[in-house]
Amino acid sequence: MHFRLNCRLIAPCVAVSLLVFTGCASSPSQSVSLPVWQKAVEQYVRETGQGDPSALRDVTLPDGRHGFAVLGDPIVKNSTDAAGVLLAHRPLNGRLAFIYLVGVVERGKVADVRLAILTADPQPKDTGFHWAIGPANKAAFQAYENYKVNLRKQRFPGRSDAPADYLTFPSPEDAFALDVSAMQVTATHAASGAKWVLPHTHTP
């Protein structure tokens, strides 16, 4: 049975304030959806950042890259988690935006990946948060998954069970490129060519 430390993906100072969202509470049924992940990000800004969204720039994942993750149950096979890689924090449509590529991980295996863009006014109010979430992209997700499956088979021929790093999100070797044009925001997984796109008409 695979256990883990629930709060290991969250910045140290946020563990207490995000008990409900990280699954550090005792409920074994706690799971994390994309909306729950969004609320956790907002709560981090309000409580740890004292209303200043720039605090999100300092949050890192265990591999050192910038991002924000929220874990559910401490037992992986019972859990749904969400992990967002921070691709950039930059002006977008005249406002500072935080651009994430977020993976929802069900029972240790990534189930969905989407672009998520947050613009937040520096104020401790829910009305200061503005989100744009990209639609599900089956083609991009399948290209990303196929690459990881083929890579695993090359590196571990004959092995029936996949190492956890080849199932979760982000994988240690994942590298994503970001392009912001006049028309859209595009995140690309460099190795597979998978692309997630969010038109500016949908951005905050």
Side-chain angles (χ1 to χ4, degrees), residues 167-203:
L167 297 175
T168 191
F169 182 91
S171 294
E173 296 180 33
D174 280 347
F176 301 102
L178 179 69
D179 178 69
V180 180
S181 70
M183 300 295 295
Q184 61 193 21
V185 177
T186 304
T188 304
H189 180 242
S192 68
K195 295 180 183 293
W196 290 267
V197 178
L198 191 57
H200 277 317
T201 54
H202 297 159
T203 57

Side-chain angles (χ1 to χ4, degrees), residues 18-196:
L18 292 181
L19 285 178
V20 173
F21 302 110
T22 62
C24 293
S26 59
S27 172
S29 61
Q30 176 68 35
S31 64
V32 180
S33 62
L34 186 54
V36 169
W37 179 86
Q38 291 173 251
K39 292 297 182 184
V41 172
E42 294 175 8
Q43 185 174 335
Y44 184 85
V45 172
R46 286 194 303 267
E47 298 186 1
T48 302
Q50 298 182 352
D52 184 358
S54 64
L56 293 170
R57 296 179 298 185
D58 301 323
V59 185
T60 58
L61 303 179
D63 60 9
R65 77 183 86 190
H66 292 280
F68 197 99
V70 186
L71 302 181
D73 196 278
I75 303 175
V76 173
K77 71 174 185 178
N78 297 335
S79 186
T80 301
D81 314 317
V85 177
L86 180 61
L87 302 180
H89 52 89
R90 52 167 293 171
L92 186 66
N93 297 335
R95 305 173 67 189
L96 181 62
F98 293 82
I99 305 174
Y100 291 91
L101 192 63
V102 186
V104 176
V105 181
E106 298 178 353
R107 300 180 179 182
K109 187 178 188 302
V110 61
D112 191 16
V113 178
R114 301 195 188 199
L115 267 173
I117 301 177
L118 168 67
T119 58
D121 300 325
Q123 56 179 318
K125 298 180 180 179
D126 289 342
T127 54
F129 298 101
H130 308 278
W131 287 95
I133 305 296
N137 187 327
K138 292 183 178 180
F141 181 77
Q142 196 61 57
Y144 172 71
E145 277 289 273
N146 288 344
Y147 170 80
K148 293 205 297 182
V149 169
N150 290 333
L151 185 63
R152 171 175 59 85
K153 289 180 178 179
Q154 292 173 12
R155 292 181 174 177
F156 305 95
R159 179 171 173 173
S160 59
D161 59 321
D165 285 347
Y166 293 80
L167 297 175
T168 191
F169 182 91
S171 294
E173 296 180 33
D174 280 347
F176 301 102
L178 179 69
D179 178 69
V180 180
S181 70
M183 300 295 295
Q184 61 193 21
V185 177
T186 304
T188 304
H189 180 242
S192 68
K195 295 180 183 293
W196 290 267

